[in-house]
Amino acid sequence: MPRRVVSVRLGTVKSWPEPHLPRISHPGTVPTVFDTGSRGPRRLTVDGGRAGLYVCGITPYDATHLGHAATYVAFDLLNRVWRDAGIEVVYVQNTTDVDDPLLERATARGLDWRELADDQIELFRSDMEALRVLPPDHYIGAVESIPQVVAAVEELIASGAAYTLESGDVYYRVSTPVQPPFGSVSHDARATMARLFAERGGDPETPGKENPLDALLWRAARDGEPSWGGASLGPGRPGWHIECAVIAADYAGLPLDVQGGGSDLVFPHHEMGAAHTAAWKRTPLARTYMHTGMVGYQGEKMSKSKGNLVLVSKLRESGVDPMAIRTVLLSNHYRSDWSFTEELLATAEQRLRKWRHAARCESECRDSLRVHIIGLLREALADDLDAPRALGVLDEWAEHYTDTPVRDRGPVSGDRVADAVDALLGIRLHD
């Protein structure tokens, strides 16, 4: 009996509307951040006033939880600080809109996988819009990048950096000599790599592979699975790591100034993406690798597999102000691991009330104090995006107005602190 292969057309993914971004009169400072690759601080100066930022997106089989939101808000900070420094940012994000977890979840729910993906992508967009995250300039699905992936994989095979199994699956050879060398992103020992590869979507036990760490580039068509024409590769669909490498190269340009994502992507995802790119394009994937910490809940890392999710959409549905959610996220440094609690949310709501009272009273603010506060906000964010310190500056600013009644004194002259908070931190204090 012939195999039943589900062929589908290429689709496109849309981004979300951009929030208003106030401008502050004088340009700010280029930030210094922690680079995973060099394991130290790096000042994010850019060539020609243009920065390429790529942040790995969701696999849309469940709604946006606070762990996702923490990552995208962290890189939204970088985007805002770069823009405040007068830098043009080309921000690219993917969405892995075909993958095993998506297909498995759709089957379990009795849904068409495309319907589930579309629904969850739309929910993600609405969450990002509510949190006032600046949208990517290019929001690209794995499905729409398939022609470019096919061409890249064919080039890797031709160069000897990839090989094809009897099944038709194509794998990258991690033994391929590349610069920078394999391992330069994570610095993990091979035993650690082997463990993480097995835990995070790898297939070390696949028969016929030359090396257990060899990563899938092209998955040949299987019965009942979606597939697309792969030219000389045959029908199939992309591997995870090559998808991001190709999208980054096509839409942001190489090398990226920053490759970003959660710390659980350091290996294998970003390590493999860097290796694929070095073998394919003979250039580094990125100058800087930035990674966010993990968010926990009820004593464990928040994850879909554990089911211990705090969903942004559910918090919004319950009446929580999205700016309070954003405040919770920013109250923890982007590189730290932390756990969500109801107490954190209550504290964020209280802080937000005080800041909004201060914003309504800001006509009483001396120009010198206003300039000082904005300077302190910029200083904190230029230092490894230290949002908790910036929020502490706002707490001190709000103390000036604790006993000040709100008066209608008309518009405030010059840069308002509230505008700076909106521009730099993405927290809107005015209705």
Side-chain angles (χ1 to χ4, degrees), residues 212-294:
L213 290 180
D214 287 351
L216 181 68
L217 294 169
W218 183 255
R219 177 178 169 88
R222 262 71 163 179
D223 288 353
E225 291 187 4
S227 69
W228 292 262
S232 66
L233 308 180
R237 55 185 168 94
W240 179 28
H241 317 303
I242 190 65
E243 163 200 339
C244 282
V246 166
I247 293 172
D250 282 358
Y251 293 93
L254 298 176
L256 301 165
D257 289 283
V258 168
Q259 160 76 82
S263 59
D264 56 345
L265 298 184
V266 177
F267 192 89
H269 189 47
H270 288 169
E271 192 76 76
M272 292 296 181
H276 294 353
T277 303
W280 170 43
K281 290 292 191 180
R282 304 294 193 271
T283 188
L285 173 62
R287 297 185 175 95
T288 301
Y289 292 86
M290 287 178 62
H291 294 98
T292 57
M294 295 292 99

Side-chain angles (χ1 to χ4, degrees), residues 78-90:
L78 173 60
N79 195 350
R80 289 168 179 271
V81 173
W82 252 340
R83 289 192 186 193
D84 182 54
I87 291 170
E88 176 192 358
V89 182
V90 179

Side-chain angles (χ1 to χ4, degrees), residues 26-240:
H26 303 290
T29 305
V30 172
T32 296
V33 301
F34 185 85
D35 173 29
T36 304
S38 64
R39 295 189 280 191
R42 183 181 294 248
R43 191 162 185 261
L44 293 180
T45 54
V46 300
D47 297 330
R50 176 190 179 277
L53 170 63
Y54 185 91
V55 180
C56 295
I58 62 168
T59 299
Y61 65 93
D62 212 336
T64 317
H65 60 69
L66 288 182
H68 295 136
T71 291
Y72 300 118
V73 166
F75 289 102
D76 185 55
L77 273 190
L78 173 60
N79 195 350
R80 289 168 179 271
V81 173
W82 252 340
R83 289 192 186 193
D84 182 54
I87 291 170
E88 176 192 358
V89 182
V90 179
Y91 176 25
V92 180
Q93 186 181 134
N94 75 308
T95 183
T96 305
D97 53 357
V98 61
D99 200 15
D100 288 345
L102 171 63
L103 301 178
E104 291 163 6
R105 183 63 58 89
T107 298
R109 294 186 180 181
L111 298 173
D112 184 283
W113 64 273
R114 290 159 292 195
E115 178 186 349
L116 178 60
D118 289 347
D119 178 68
Q120 296 305 308
I121 290 170
E122 180 56 39
L123 186 54
F124 175 75
R125 282 197 292 252
S126 66
D127 286 339
M128 293 298 100
E129 184 178 1
L131 292 174
R132 307 195 78 249
V133 171
L134 299 175
D137 299 284
H138 305 283
Y139 188 41
I140 309 298
V143 171
E144 64 186 287
S145 69
I146 285 172
Q148 294 93 330
V149 168
V150 169
V153 174
E154 288 177 329
E155 290 179 37
L156 287 169
I157 292 173
S159 71
Y163 61 95
T164 306
L165 299 183
E166 289 185 7
S167 63
D169 293 345
V170 182
Y171 282 87
Y172 173 75
R173 284 189 172 96
V174 294
S175 61
T176 303
V178 293
Q179 288 297 327
F182 183 72
S184 297
V185 178
S186 66
H187 304 280
D188 286 334
R190 285 301 170 116
T192 303
M193 288 182 178
R195 175 177 58 81
L196 294 176
F197 189 70
E199 291 174 358
R200 296 174 177 174
D203 57 348
E205 304 299 326
T206 296
K209 286 174 59 172
E210 297 176 359
N211 186 312
L213 290 180
D214 287 351
L216 181 68
L217 294 169
W218 183 255
R219 177 178 169 88
R222 262 71 163 179
D223 288 353
E225 291 187 4
S227 69
W228 292 262
S232 66
L233 308 180
R237 55 185 168 94
W240 179 28

